[in-house]
Amino acid sequence: MCHLSSFLVALSILASYIQQGASYEYVTKNFTVPVDHFSFTTNATFEMRYLVNDSSWDADSGPIFFYTGNEGDIKLFAENTGFMWELAVEMRAKVVFAEHRYYGESLPFGKDSFSNEKNLGYLTAHQALEDYVDLITALRGDNRIPVIVFGGSYGGMLSAWFRMKYPHIVQGAIAASAPILEFEGMNKCNAFYRIVTSDFQSAADDCRYNIRNSWDAFNQIVKSADGLAWLSKAFQLCKPLTKAADVKDVKDFLSEVYVNLAMTDYPYATNFLMPLPANPILEVCEHLKAPNLKEKELLTQIFKAASVYLNYTGTTKCLDLEDADGPSLGGNGWGFQSCTEMVMPMCSNGVDDMFEPSPWDMNKYVADCKKTFAWVKPQPFLVPKRYGGLELARLSSNIIFSNGLRDPWTSGGVVESLTPSVVSIIIPEGAHHLDLRASNPADPNSVRNARILYKKHIRKWIREYRGTV
């Protein structure tokens, strides 16, 4: 299984939303920021892109709602973060979406931003947060305007860290599906895949067993040339398998599909990573309910099940194993961040989960990173050291962490309230940051109630800030 790919998909879900009927207007602007905020070795600057809408803003009393952009083109986030826009109208706020350095058009060295280690070395979360500090300071000017930050997944991590590191700059944070505890020494590496498995188990108990049994069925079927040919035809592969070792690509592909389904298991039809029906895991498991399936029968049903994700519209002609994730974001940038500061241990054992055994091996992780970035060495303890790790209760205030129990990234989320102002919201029916999507008639009550609570806390944060200034 490709752990880096799993997180890239998670981080890209919010940005790749295509909310049917949603349309938001904004003005695109640029803001000059230093390439390096933390040393005096260079005076270089670059243009960071941001988007702004102040059509609902009350300049005398309204707040700024600021989206801490993550790993992608900021327009995708702005056009598809419906809750933030809805709330801005209600609370008469200015809306700002800031683009993360090295993503979208905010490239410190233009087309050469990824060309060498010197240019790429300024890609860190800490540098990005400083960009946001400078932008907010400029937007405020001499006015003491309350600022609330929002973010989902990696963006949610940034929002939480922003409030922790710069409480004098932002007055509160909504951190949705933010796995800030998914780091060395703070979490069990097998938790992620256990949650994915529980999603499939809740749909049909034999569903997870059939998926677990399929791995050995794949291994057995490709032992012969006839088996390779049969599998290539049964799975409608664009590029037929030529040797038994190629089956690993099929299995890795399916593992990513199961993870994607868990993260996108929403209660209404969506169209982003792939066109999907409402509650797609239920649809998948309809094909995997029968027990004791033989090898070819089992793999035939596995393909039918996976096709709910891969070909729900029936328009795909063949299966491309290099395109499991659908539209991608800044793969180059996130690959670098994963090989430097964003090291998130993951493992599976094939007993507590439905995946093949895959132990966490830091040495292998380092070796894989060096194949792409020969000069870097992953630093698994950098994030806990820089942002406080498990000391959240002592270091934080005015943060809401939300986690859906259907979201595998809850494995690294803050799932218990730590203080009256560091609050955890659990959304039992929620997949990956469902609460940041635009309102939908099919939203469960837990999402509706969570949003009501967000409004209550945001009003409180603004009121308290107004009182102190």
Side-chain angles (χ1 to χ4, degrees):
M1 286 171 286
C2 179
H3 309 311
L4 299 184
S5 179
S6 296
F7 193 59
L8 182 58
V9 172
L11 295 174
S12 71
I13 287 176
L14 180 61
S16 58
Y17 283 162
I18 301 175
Q19 291 278 19
Q20 296 178 1
S23 178
Y24 306 108
E25 295 181 354
Y26 45 77
V27 176
T28 302
K29 296 186 177 183
N30 290 320
F31 181 71
T32 303
V33 292
V35 168
D36 184 7
H37 292 275
F38 301 108
S39 76
F40 300 92
T41 60
T42 176
N43 293 320
T45 61
F46 73 99
E47 297 298 301
M48 178 182 74
R49 184 169 58 155
Y50 71 100
L51 315 175
V52 61
N53 179 299
D54 58 6
S55 60
S56 299
W57 188 38
D58 182 339
D60 294 323
S61 61
I64 293 175
F65 288 169
F66 189 97
Y67 187 90
T68 51
N70 25 334
E71 72 328 333
D73 188 311
I74 194 59
K75 288 187 176 182
L76 294 173
F77 295 94
E79 292 165 358
N80 301 289
T81 311
F83 170 68
M84 187 171 157
W85 288 91
E86 295 167 1
L87 190 61
V89 173
E90 182 176 337
M91 294 192 178
R92 304 178 76 182
K94 174 184 285 191
V95 177
V96 178
F97 285 80
E99 190 162 69
H100 194 298
R101 57 170 53 204
Y102 288 86
Y103 296 103
E105 295 182 4
S106 299
L107 303 176
F109 301 98
K111 62 181 177 59
D112 295 324
S113 295
F114 299 93
S115 63
N116 59 64
E117 63 270 27
K118 181 179 179 181
N119 288 358
L120 195 49
Y122 301 104
L123 172 51
T124 69
H126 206 33
Q127 294 276 10
L129 290 176
E130 283 283 331
D131 294 338
Y132 300 158
V133 168
D134 285 0
L135 176 56
I136 288 174
T137 301
L139 291 171
R140 272 179 163 164
D142 295 330
N143 302 311
R144 297 299 300 273
I145 303 171
V147 178
I148 309 300
V149 290
F150 297 74
S153 203
Y154 173 46
M157 296 161 74
L158 291 171
S159 290
W161 291 336
F162 203 163
R163 172 60 189 173
M164 292 165 63
K165 286 291 187 180
Y166 305 97
H168 57 296
I169 301 294
V170 298
Q171 282 58 64
I174 305 296
S177 298
I180 64 171
L181 303 181
E182 195 76 51
F183 294 92
E184 193 72 51
M186 293 193 288
N187 193 22
K188 293 182 178 179
C189 68
N190 67 342
F192 181 93
Y193 290 107
R194 284 195 289 107
I195 295 175
V196 176
T197 301
S198 71
D199 289 347
F200 285 81
Q201 180 182 359
S202 66
D205 199 50
D206 279 311
C207 186
R208 62 165 173 162
Y209 291 126
N210 279 318
I211 291 173
R212 182 183 296 168
N213 292 338
S214 73
W215 308 123
D216 187 60
F218 279 115
N219 294 337
Q220 296 302 319
I221 206 75
V222 297
K223 286 184 175 180
S224 69
D226 288 345
L228 283 168
W230 179 88
L231 186 61
S232 297
K233 182 177 180 180
F235 272 64
Q236 301 175 18
L237 299 182
C238 299
K239 183 179 178 181
L241 305 178
T242 59
K243 56 184 183 298
D246 291 342
V247 78
K248 182 180 185 301
D249 295 334
V250 178
K251 294 188 294 183
D252 287 347
F253 182 91
L254 288 173
S255 293
E256 292 300 324
V257 167
Y258 300 143
V259 168
N260 294 354
L261 282 163
M263 290 189 293
T264 59
D265 194 28
Y266 297 119
Y268 45 82
T270 54
N271 180 18
F272 38 97
L273 290 183
M274 297 287 185
L276 290 176
N279 303 301
I281 288 182
L282 285 175
E283 297 271 350
V284 166
C285 288
E286 280 296 314
H287 300 283
L288 296 171
K289 293 172 113 177
N292 304 316
L293 296 172
K294 302 301 182 183
E295 283 177 1
K296 287 188 176 181
E297 186 181 11
L298 173 56
L299 296 184
T300 297
Q301 293 305 111
I302 287 286
F303 179 71
K304 290 180 180 179
S307 293
V308 172
Y309 178 86
L310 299 168
N311 195 18
Y312 185 65
T313 61
T315 59
T316 301
K317 302 302 182 185
C318 64
L319 179 57
D320 183 358
L321 296 180
E322 298 178 358
D323 191 31
D325 302 336
S328 64
L329 293 176
N332 289 337
W334 187 253
F336 179 78
Q337 288 188 266
S338 298
C339 284
T340 51
E341 58 182 356
M342 298 296 168
V343 181
M344 301 182 179
M346 289 187 182
C347 64
S348 58
N349 59 25
V351 176
D352 300 311
D353 54 70
M354 65 187 192
F355 295 89
E356 283 192 296
S358 177
W360 170 249
D361 185 340
M362 187 63 195
N363 290 330
K364 183 179 183 301
Y365 191 93
V366 170
D368 288 343
C369 284
K370 284 191 173 296
K371 292 176 183 177
T372 306
F373 308 104
W375 67 91
V376 305
K377 182 176 181 180
Q379 299 186 42
F381 296 102
L382 180 60
V383 164
K385 179 174 65 176
R386 177 166 288 165
Y387 300 106
L390 296 174
E391 295 295 320
L392 280 168
R394 188 169 61 84
L395 299 173
S396 310
S397 65
N398 293 7
I399 303 175
I400 293 179
F401 293 99
S402 67
N403 290 282
L405 295 186
R406 303 193 68 78
D407 178 16
W409 289 103
T410 295
S411 62
V414 177
V415 295
E416 293 183 355
S417 294
L418 303 178
T419 70
S421 66
V422 180
V423 178
S424 173
I425 304 297
I426 299 298
I427 303 172
E429 306 90 344
H432 203 47
H433 43 62
L434 171 63
D435 47 326
L436 289 189
R437 294 177 65 91
S439 298
N440 188 289
D443 283 333
N445 286 333
S446 58
V447 168
R448 302 174 194 272
N449 293 335
R451 291 170 179 157
I452 291 171
L453 193 61
Y454 300 164
K455 297 176 188 180
K456 176 182 175 182
H457 278 272
I458 289 171
R459 289 193 174 99
K460 178 175 180 288
W461 297 338
I462 294 172
R463 186 170 60 249
E464 289 174 346
Y465 178 73
R466 294 286 189 194
T468 61
V469 300

